[in-house]
Amino acid sequence: MRIGVPKEIKNHEYRVGLIPSSVQELVHNGHQVLVQAGAGLGAGITDADYVAAGASIIESADQIFAEADMIVKVKEPLAVERKKLRKGQILFTYLHLAPDLEQTRDLIESGAICIAYETVTSANGSLPLLTPMSEVAGRLAPQVGAHSLEKAQGGRGVLLGGVPGVPAAEVVILGGGVSGTHAATIAVGMGAKVTVVDRSADALKRLAAQFGTSISTVFSTRAAIEELVRRADLLIGTVLVPGAAAPKLVTHDMVRTMKPGSVIVDVAIDQGGCVETSHATTHSDPTYVVDGVVHYCVANMPGAVARTSTFALNNVTLPFTLALANNGWKKALEQDVHLRNGLNVFEGKVTCEPVAEAHGLPYVKAETAIGM
């Protein structure tokens, strides 16, 4: 199989779909890998590194999309890239289709076989290809939140950990999953007063066992969120419903009650955000202010630490990339229900139920679509 790795073109996106060791594994299995010139530079990987691993360097993205049987990316294809996709071509990347009708329509029209990292599952019910980026985004959230709290950035001028005689900032984390747990780890390490909110009793027990008295845990109700949002210096939203748009747990009215200069970091923005006043921003223009509250809503947060993110991502995507290359899409999808759960759009049909529901589109089961 010919596998194409185009350079990412999303604003300040420095990650890359494959690293040299992944290329070497694919080449060893008899496949050809086409990497666009300069695709890995943002993650500290040179064209020479790819050539040494057995890849061919291609100058243009047009040629890669035209020649490759499978495209391996990191972020969802932008409109100009979606026009290059063709019927029967495999697209393996993050898609986040539930809040993005335009992309969904374009992928339907392309006829491509579109497999989303974020809905591939595992035997224990987790999302293994989303986990490393959730870990990175969670760990980044207190870091960017602390920076946004600085007065020069429009924040309250509060130091997250405080100093002797001056209290630490109050950090409220909505969601105790992977991102929320990692956000709590860093926020606690920075000396903040941390509260994690979740509706799962099991998640709250796990957090209490992990952190002890270093954090407070609160069961999620509207009343609890209202109170905690009002008190927060830094609010971090990490709520996830796999494949679906994030629920709006924080209303505009709640945002109006927040302290002037407080900060919201909406990690859930890839799936539409869990705060009513959130809209996606970029690394070049990461924040905006609503009712005196600074919003940080960068849709590709892990791109800021591209090398760490790229290598972490490849650690989990490579087995699936190899399966698709070695077996072809049909056999790979038939043999592995977890990879099949990643199938979002197949030759014009929406095969992910939450995406279909989000956009009012017909839903076809993946098994039916691929002819099992």
Side-chain angles (χ1 to χ4, degrees):
M1 185 179 283
R2 286 167 298 179
I3 298 135
V5 183
K7 185 175 182 178
E8 298 290 329
I9 60 173
K10 193 179 180 84
N11 181 282
H12 284 278
E13 181 51 71
Y14 302 109
R15 290 172 290 180
V16 63
L18 293 177
I19 59 176
S21 60
S22 297
V23 170
Q24 190 172 9
E25 290 290 328
L26 288 160
V27 171
H28 177 73
N29 279 265
H31 307 294
Q32 183 182 5
V33 181
L34 313 175
V35 178
Q36 187 176 354
L41 291 177
I45 305 167
T46 67
D47 291 348
D49 294 331
Y50 283 117
V51 170
S56 301
I57 301 300
I58 305 297
E59 286 299 322
S60 75
D62 286 347
Q63 186 179 348
I64 285 179
F65 277 89
E67 295 184 8
D69 304 303
M70 174 165 61
I71 298 294
V72 178
K73 284 177 43 55
V74 178
K75 288 305 291 177
E76 74 282 351
L78 301 188
V80 66
E81 295 173 304
R82 299 195 292 266
K83 291 175 183 175
K84 297 179 172 72
L85 294 167
R86 65 178 188 274
K87 183 176 174 62
Q89 190 173 45
I90 303 166
L91 173 66
F92 194 33
T93 189
Y94 288 115
L95 291 175
H96 299 291
L97 293 178
D100 193 341
L101 178 58
E102 183 181 353
Q103 186 196 174
T104 305
R105 283 176 171 162
D106 285 352
L107 294 183
I108 290 169
E109 290 176 11
S110 75
I113 298 153
C114 307
I115 303 170
Y117 293 159
E118 72 273 9
T119 59
V120 173
T121 56
S122 70
N124 65 8
S126 67
L127 303 171
L129 307 194
L130 186 62
T131 294
M133 296 306 95
S134 297
E135 292 169 347
V136 170
R139 285 173 175 261
L140 275 174
Q143 182 175 310
V144 299
H147 181 62
S148 299
L149 275 169
E150 295 173 12
K151 195 65 180 176
Q153 306 305 316
R156 295 191 71 217
V158 172
L159 182 64
L160 213 61
V163 292
V166 181
E170 291 212 27
V171 175
V172 174
I173 300 170
L174 301 179
V178 175
S179 284
T181 301
H182 282 262
T185 299
I186 300 304
V188 167
M190 295 175 82
K193 181 181 178 184
V194 179
T195 302
V196 182
V197 183
D198 202 286
R199 62 166 49 185
S200 164
D202 288 340
L204 296 177
K205 288 175 186 175
R206 172 178 51 78
L207 289 161
Q210 180 175 345
F211 292 100
T213 57
S214 297
I215 68 168
S216 298
T217 56
V218 173
F219 185 79
S220 180
T221 63
R222 184 179 176 88
I225 292 172
E226 283 179 350
E227 172 62 21
L228 290 167
V229 165
R230 184 179 60 79
R231 287 173 16 200
D233 295 296
L234 171 59
L235 176 69
I236 299 174
T238 70
V239 181
L240 172 71
V241 178
K248 304 294 185 188
L249 297 187
V250 178
T251 66
H252 195 162
D253 284 342
M254 292 182 196
V255 172
R256 289 190 184 100
T257 70
M258 295 180 73
K259 306 167 190 172
S262 56
V263 173
I264 294 171
V265 176
D266 199 338
V267 178
I269 196 64
D270 263 345
Q271 294 293 125
C274 62
V275 179
E276 203 169 58
T277 48
S278 292
H279 63 76
T281 60
T282 64
H283 285 294
S284 59
D285 190 15
T287 62
Y288 60 93
V289 178
V290 175
D291 293 325
V293 178
V294 179
H295 290 58
Y296 180 102
C297 304
V298 174
N300 59 327
M301 284 177 66
V305 286
R307 188 170 178 87
T308 297
S309 299
T310 293
F311 280 78
L313 182 60
N314 268 250
N315 287 344
V316 292
T317 56
L318 178 60
F320 296 99
T321 306
L322 277 169
L324 286 163
N326 290 343
N327 301 319
W329 64 260
K330 186 171 178 61
K331 188 176 179 182
L333 291 172
E334 286 177 347
Q335 288 183 343
D336 189 347
V337 64
H338 301 298
L339 180 60
R340 195 160 67 242
N341 287 336
L343 188 66
N344 278 214
V345 177
F346 177 85
E347 296 186 343
K349 303 177 185 72
V350 177
T351 54
C352 178
E353 192 167 11
V355 172
E357 287 179 358
H359 300 308
L361 295 168
Y363 164 65
V364 179
K365 290 184 68 173
E367 291 81 1
T368 302
I370 67 176
M372 286 182 66

